[in-house]
Amino acid sequence: PFEEPLLSLTKSLLAVAFLASFGSSMLYGYNLAVVNSPAEYIKAFYNQTMVARNGTGLDDKTLTLFYSVTVSVFAIGGMVGSLMVGILVTRFGRKGTLVRITCLVFIGGAFMGFSRTFGSPEMIIVGRFITGVHSGISLSVVPMYLGEIAPKNLRGFLGLVPSIFICLGVFIAQILGLHELLGKEEHWPLFLSLVVIPTMFQLMLLPWFPESPRYLLIEKRNVHATITALKWYRSKVNIQAEIEEMQEEQRSMSSVQTVSVIGLLKDRSVRWQVITIVVVNIGMQLSGIDAIWFYTNAIFKNAGIPVPQIQYTTVGTGAIEVIAGCVGCFTIERLGRRPLMIGGFTFMGICCAGITLSLMFQSHYISVACVVGIIAGFCIGPAGVPFLITAELFKQSHRPAAYTVAGCLNWLSNFTIGFVFPFLQMSAGAYCYLVFFGVCTAVAAYVFFIVPETKNKTFVEISQMFAARNGMLEEESSELGVFNSLKLGKMNGYGAVELEYEVIENKK
């Protein structure tokens, strides 16, 4: 109903996307990979500490258990953080939440940085948990924020910017983990605590940017602040059509109040949207990518690559991640969400099966190629699209609860893989990758048959696309109720508020 022009990418939009992703999303990727390079040094520190405390060291199995807890406690923190998303974004807003949670990174970084000084392995685990809480919140809030400030023709592009920075975080951790840089034994506490630097930049600059216009209008009903925010993020065009589209979404909601997680799960009008985010977010983590990221060095060692060369091979895979992420980001508005998801999961599944076959037949180079293929396939689509479509499939009232559900399942799956994979690999050997093959194939099939294309659609249009599948008439799914709608008049090309009200009545 609204003829919205194709809006251009402004400097303000690009700046806030880069800043939010640099100070939040990148830390998630960094923390995924940072424990890979200094693994043996951390294990040695654990063992030395136990000898000093108890007079005896740890056996290999117990040491593996301690290290698995160190790796996977990051995901436990992430799950705890994801449960807080709905409350935080409703109370403080999207940008306000990102600014306030920066304190978690400083606390977590301090714990990890001073762990060796105080001879405390527990400080590493606590620090990883706290930074995990930060990532659990930011991993949902950043795509939510960018999805709400972006015009619909740029929502896919801006929505995948965080995934590029996740890949970049992994890549930076791999480069800094080289023996020539911070890969020496004396540097691992500094290596773990470097997360505070990007967060410091974000804390200094992000408060100067406006809050999400949708949050300001639909939840706070602050029209003047909404117009100010849109002036900041848009070029000099008439913003009346965009304001009207937001008001249409507001009128289509049965309540302006934010829906709880229980309310979301009970609401049959969003049943298939909920099923979709459950499938894609669980599938994203159970696809095997976290096993690759957490244990890259061990996988390459088992594949027969000489130990001195493994660190350089790992850095090469990190570069491929960044390139693949850029490919997905710059093609999503042309190809759409579905092709990137279906193609990415399908290619990952093929590569998982390829790893099994290559390890069975001792074909080491094919094994390495399949690892690279899994990483590339993941970063092109499955790395970022699930977070993007979680924003797109729900209206403003349901979005925080949807991100809470998606984030919780995402992190629970992340923890499961990080904790179970070493033992799965020891017991099942090469066949463990067939589990990931099955997951990737199932998710690709689900997206192919169930999920519609959301490219260049408004949030209201996307909700109506699911109406029939949810067993509801479009008229029922978009009941308006009686709302006051503010009209906008032109002023300096932006639009100003006219104190004129229009009563909208229900028509069935």
Side-chain angles (χ1 to χ4, degrees), residues 18 76 90 92 148 169 249 313 340 348 370 378:
F18 274 58
I76 298 177
T90 302
F92 300 117
E148 291 183 4
E249 180 180 347
T313 307
L340 293 184
M348 290 176 72
C370 288
F378 178 77

Side-chain angles (χ1 to χ4, degrees), residues 139 186 427:
L139 206 60
E186 61 268 23
S427 59

Side-chain angles (χ1 to χ4, degrees), residues 252-459:
S252 71
M253 298 183 328
S254 58
S255 171
V256 181
Q257 297 298 319
T258 302
V259 174
S260 66
V261 171
I262 299 299
L264 176 75
L265 299 178
K266 288 182 176 179
D267 190 347
R268 69 186 184 93
S269 69
V270 293
R271 180 187 304 145
W272 278 99
Q273 289 98 310
V274 172
I275 295 173
T276 296
I277 65 168
V278 168
V279 171
V280 298
N281 280 279
I282 290 180
M284 172 187 175
Q285 297 296 342
L286 297 187
S287 63
I289 188 62
D290 286 322
I292 300 295
W293 272 341
F294 286 147
Y295 302 102
T296 306
N297 287 4
I299 291 171
F300 286 159
K301 183 178 179 181
N302 293 336
I305 295 178
V307 173
Q309 303 301 318
I310 287 179
Q311 59 177 343
Y312 304 108
T313 307
T314 303
V315 170
T317 63
I320 292 171
E321 292 169 22
V322 177
I323 294 171
C326 291
V327 170
C329 186
F330 287 102
T331 59
I332 188 169
E333 294 298 355
R334 182 179 296 273
L335 299 177
R337 284 66 163 152
R338 278 168 47 86
L340 293 184
M341 287 277 283
I342 296 169
F345 276 114
T346 301
F347 190 64
M348 290 176 72
I350 293 172
C351 290
C352 286
I355 288 181
T356 298
L357 293 175
S358 64
L359 292 178
M360 287 174 59
F361 294 103
Q362 297 297 307
S363 181
H364 302 315
Y365 293 106
I366 294 178
S367 176
V368 172
C370 288
V371 168
V372 172
I374 290 173
I375 292 172
F378 178 77
C379 292
I380 285 177
V385 177
F387 296 111
L388 170 63
I389 65 171
T390 300
E392 292 184 326
L393 297 186
F394 296 91
K395 298 177 186 176
Q396 194 80 11
S397 57
H398 292 67
R399 197 170 294 132
Y403 268 105
T404 298
V405 172
C408 184
L409 292 173
N410 199 303
W411 285 98
L412 181 62
S413 304
N414 184 300
F415 168 78
T416 302
I417 289 297
F419 191 79
V420 172
F421 180 72
F423 303 100
L424 179 65
Q425 192 178 36
M426 284 190 290
S427 59
Y431 294 100
C432 67
Y433 295 95
L434 291 181
V435 175
F436 305 138
F437 165 76
V439 171
C440 291
T441 303
V443 176
Y446 178 87
V447 175
F448 182 81
F449 289 108
I450 301 296
V451 182
E453 181 56 65
T454 58
K455 181 181 70 171
N456 211 28
K457 298 284 195 303
T458 67
F459 294 123

